[in-house]
Amino acid sequence: MRRVEIGVVVLAVLGLVDAVSPWLLPAPPDAPPFVDAVSLVLGVLTLVLLAVWWARRSRAALWAAVVIRAVSALLAVPAWLSGVGGGLALVLAVAFVVTVIGIVLVAPALGRSRAGRAPASA
């Protein structure tokens, strides 16, 4: 399996975790009421976009999935700042680090394709 495909699988697992988190890891009671809904939407969008990428190798779909995963990871920052419990803080930290790893793995596929590059000048 190529590096990019491994990164896509990592991002897909994170999307799946987001999609099921309202049931497995619900937001704390003092969190805004829309937090679980946002997590669900971001997770489902990630999975749909990665499925499109897998079927068509669409850079636009992969870029959108990366942006959604980055937004999802950054949404953990307010939770850290509000002082969530130890277990949830650890889960959020691990998800953040794994998101960065997934994005680094897919980065080569985000650049221009060889066909789209201008020829090198001599």
Side-chain angles (χ1 to χ4, degrees):
M1 194 179 250
R2 291 184 12 219
R3 173 183 169 181
V4 172
E5 291 166 338
I6 293 169
V8 167
V9 169
V10 168
L11 296 178
V13 169
L14 290 166
L16 183 61
V17 169
D18 263 5
V20 299
S21 70
W23 297 278
L24 296 180
L25 298 166
D30 58 339
F34 60 84
V35 170
D36 284 333
V38 169
S39 178
L40 174 66
V41 169
L42 292 178
V44 170
L45 278 174
T46 298
L47 294 172
V48 169
L49 289 165
L50 291 176
V52 169
W53 178 84
W54 201 271
R56 299 185 181 175
R57 296 301 196 249
S58 164
R59 265 192 338 202
L62 188 57
W63 262 109
V66 164
V67 169
I68 288 171
R69 294 306 332 138
V71 167
S72 178
L74 290 174
L75 287 175
V77 172
W80 287 327
L81 295 177
S82 70
V84 295
L88 183 56
L90 179 62
V91 168
L92 293 174
V94 168
F96 187 88
V97 170
V98 173
T99 298
V100 171
I101 291 168
I103 291 171
V104 167
L105 288 172
V106 300
L110 298 174
R112 292 182 188 228
S113 66
R114 290 180 191 228
R117 290 187 182 155
S121 58

